[in-house]
Amino acid sequence: MANYRYVICRNIQEAELAAWNSLRHGDCDPFTDPRFLEAIERGMAAVSKFWHVIFYDEQGQPAATASLCSYRVDAALLADGVLKALAQAIGRVLPRLLTFRVMFCGLCFSAGQSNLRFAPGVDTVAILRQIDELLLSLGREERAKCIVFKEFKPQEVEAVDALVGLGYQRAESLPMNHVEPIVQSFEEFVARQKSSRRHVIRKSQKKFAASDLRVVQMSGGEGADVVFTDDVFKLFETVFDRAKVRLEKVTPEVFRELARRLPEATAWTFIYQSERVVAFAMSVFTSAVYHQIFVGYDATLNGQYDLYFNLFFHAIDRAYRQNVAVIHVGQSADEFKHQKLSCHQRPLYFYIKGIDRATRYVLERFGRSMFPPRFTPAVAETTTGKRG
C-alpha cells in the first residue's frame, strides 16, 4: 500500500494553492474554491476549527486534497423517530450530555458537497487510511466523539467505500433536489407546464403581485453584505429552527463573507416590504452549476402572499438566466420543489464512526435508527445535465 506525504495547514491561505487548485473539478467545483473556503473559515471561526490537507506522491505531484473541521453538534437534532423524542427528553434535563464535538472530512457547512478530491490513478485506500488516522489524532485532541466523511454522490461512493473497512457506517444524507435548466427563464418554465400545475403557480404569483412587496436582486459585490443585517439573519434562523433535520448552523458572518469573497459568484434575492427585508435567497454559482443554498422569510406573511413560493420563483428565475448546466436547490422542502419546480432528486451518502468505545457502541447499536433511508425514488431521476 502506498504511503503519501502530506502537508496540513490551519487555513487555506497557508496551502500551496497551485497544488490545491490542480485537483479541483474546474467550474463544477465552487465549494473547494479557496475564496469560498476562506469565507467559511472566517465566518465560522468562533465555533469551528479548520485544517486543509494536500497529499503528494513520490514524484511530488498532488495526489489528493481534503478539508477537515471540528464542530459541536446536538444529538437531538440528528436523531429521528423514537430516538429523537428520547434525546429531546434527555436534553431538557441534561443538555450537556447530548452536545458533543464531531470531526468532519468536509466543512461545517452543508450544501450536499464533498471536500475530498483525488488525482486520477492514486491509491485512494491508502489516502483514506491516512486521513482516518489524522482525524482520529485530531479528534482525540479536540475531545470529539465521532468522525464523519460527507457528502458523496453515488458516482463518488466507489472511491470512498473503503471507509467501511476502516470501521465506518455508510448512511444516507438528505437527497439533493436539482433542476435541468432547459428553459431561459421561470416564465418560460411556467408556460411549458400542464394547465393544473400552471394554475397553482399563477395563483401564488397573483397573491404576490397584489401585495406591496418588491424584489431586489444583486450580486455579492453590489452591497449584499450591507443589506444582510442581523435582522435579515433572523429570517434564516426562523427557517433553520423549523427544519426537520439540522446539523450546522452558520453564523451571520458567513453570509457577509461569502458576499465579500465571492462578489461575482454569489446571487442574492431580497424581498422588501417598504424598507424592511422580509425574505431572502442566497446562491453560489459558476459558469457550469448553480447552488441555491440559503433562504429565510417572515412566516407571518407567508400565508397571505405565498412568500416562500414566490421567493423561490424569483431565485430560480435568476438561476435559469445564468445559462448553467444544472441547478441545485437544496436538501429540504422536497414536495414543493418536485410539484412546483419539477425538481428531481439525487441521493447523497456520508460515513460515520465513533472515536471512543461508548460512541462506537451507540452507533453500532442504533445507527440504522438514527440515520434512516431518506432518498425518495418517487421524485427521483438519474440526471445531471451536460456539465456539473
Side-chain angles (χ1 to χ4, degrees), residues 162-325:
L163 289 168
V164 175
L166 297 175
Y168 290 81
Q169 294 184 51
R170 186 178 72 195
E172 287 189 28
S173 183
L174 294 175
M176 174 60 69
N177 293 287
H178 62 105
V179 177
E180 291 181 5
I182 57 175
V183 296
Q184 299 299 309
S185 69
F186 185 69
E187 185 62 31
E188 184 182 347
F189 164 80
V190 175
R192 291 189 177 205
Q193 303 308 300
K194 59 183 180 181
S195 59
S196 57
R197 177 177 286 176
R198 190 165 58 248
H199 172 75
V200 172
I201 295 173
R202 294 295 192 209
K203 185 177 179 181
S204 289
Q205 289 178 316
K206 287 179 181 178
K207 281 187 177 183
F208 189 85
S211 72
D212 59 347
L213 304 177
R214 59 188 174 91
V215 178
V216 175
Q217 293 187 322
M218 64 177 66
S219 66
E222 294 175 311
D225 60 325
V226 177
V227 176
F228 196 89
T229 63
D230 288 347
D231 286 338
V232 177
F233 179 71
K234 290 177 183 177
L235 300 174
F236 163 75
E237 286 187 302
T238 300
V239 173
F240 180 87
D241 291 342
R242 290 201 310 268
K244 291 183 179 179
V245 178
R246 294 169 283 170
L247 184 56
E248 313 97 346
K249 182 178 180 179
V250 298
T251 68
E253 275 307 304
V254 167
F255 294 87
R256 296 168 190 142
E257 288 292 338
L258 286 170
R260 295 166 188 152
R261 306 281 161 187
L262 298 167
E264 302 304 322
T266 53
W268 303 74
T269 301
F270 293 103
I271 296 180
Y272 285 81
Q273 186 178 55
S274 186
E275 298 305 311
R276 182 174 77 94
V277 175
V278 296
F280 80 92
M282 179 264 169
S283 306
V284 173
F285 64 92
T286 69
S287 61
V289 295
Y290 197 101
H291 291 267
Q292 171 58 56
I293 300 175
F294 295 121
V295 298
Y297 62 96
D298 185 337
T300 65
L301 301 177
N302 192 47
Q304 184 177 0
Y305 302 123
D306 278 358
L307 191 56
Y308 178 72
F309 295 160
N310 282 284
L311 173 67
F312 254 99
F313 296 161
H314 285 281
I316 203 78
D317 181 69
R318 172 75 177 261
Y320 282 135
R321 295 176 188 277
Q322 293 296 132
N323 195 32
V324 295

Side-chain angles (χ1 to χ4, degrees), residues 363-381:
L363 289 172
E364 290 169 3
R365 178 70 177 81
F366 300 108
R368 290 190 177 184
S369 299
M370 294 173 67
F371 311 115
R374 300 187 183 279
F375 184 50
T376 307
V379 296
E381 287 185 17

Side-chain angles (χ1 to χ4, degrees), residues 29-48:
D29 208 1
F31 300 120
T32 58
D33 185 327
R35 299 173 301 164
F36 179 87
L37 297 174
E38 187 175 8
I40 301 301
E41 286 176 5
R42 288 175 175 266
M44 298 293 283
V47 294
S48 187

Side-chain angles (χ1 to χ4, degrees), residues 1-2 4 118 122-132 158-163 165-166:
M1 183 175 292
Y4 294 87
F118 296 110
V122 300
D123 187 341
T124 57
V125 177
I127 292 172
L128 290 171
R129 186 180 297 277
Q130 288 182 267
I131 296 175
D132 174 57
E158 183 178 356
V160 296
D161 218 34
L163 289 168
L166 297 175

Side-chain angles (χ1 to χ4, degrees), residues 14-67:
E14 293 179 359
E16 184 187 354
L17 294 184
W20 183 273
N21 288 327
S22 71
L23 298 188
R24 294 182 60 221
H25 299 160
D27 283 344
C28 296
D29 208 1
F31 300 120
T32 58
D33 185 327
R35 299 173 301 164
F36 179 87
L37 297 174
E38 187 175 8
I40 301 301
E41 286 176 5
R42 288 175 175 266
M44 298 293 283
V47 294
S48 187
K49 293 182 181 179
F50 298 88
W51 299 264
H52 303 283
V53 191
I54 303 177
F55 291 82
Y56 297 89
D57 63 20
E58 293 180 350
Q59 288 73 45
Q61 297 300 308
T65 60
S67 291

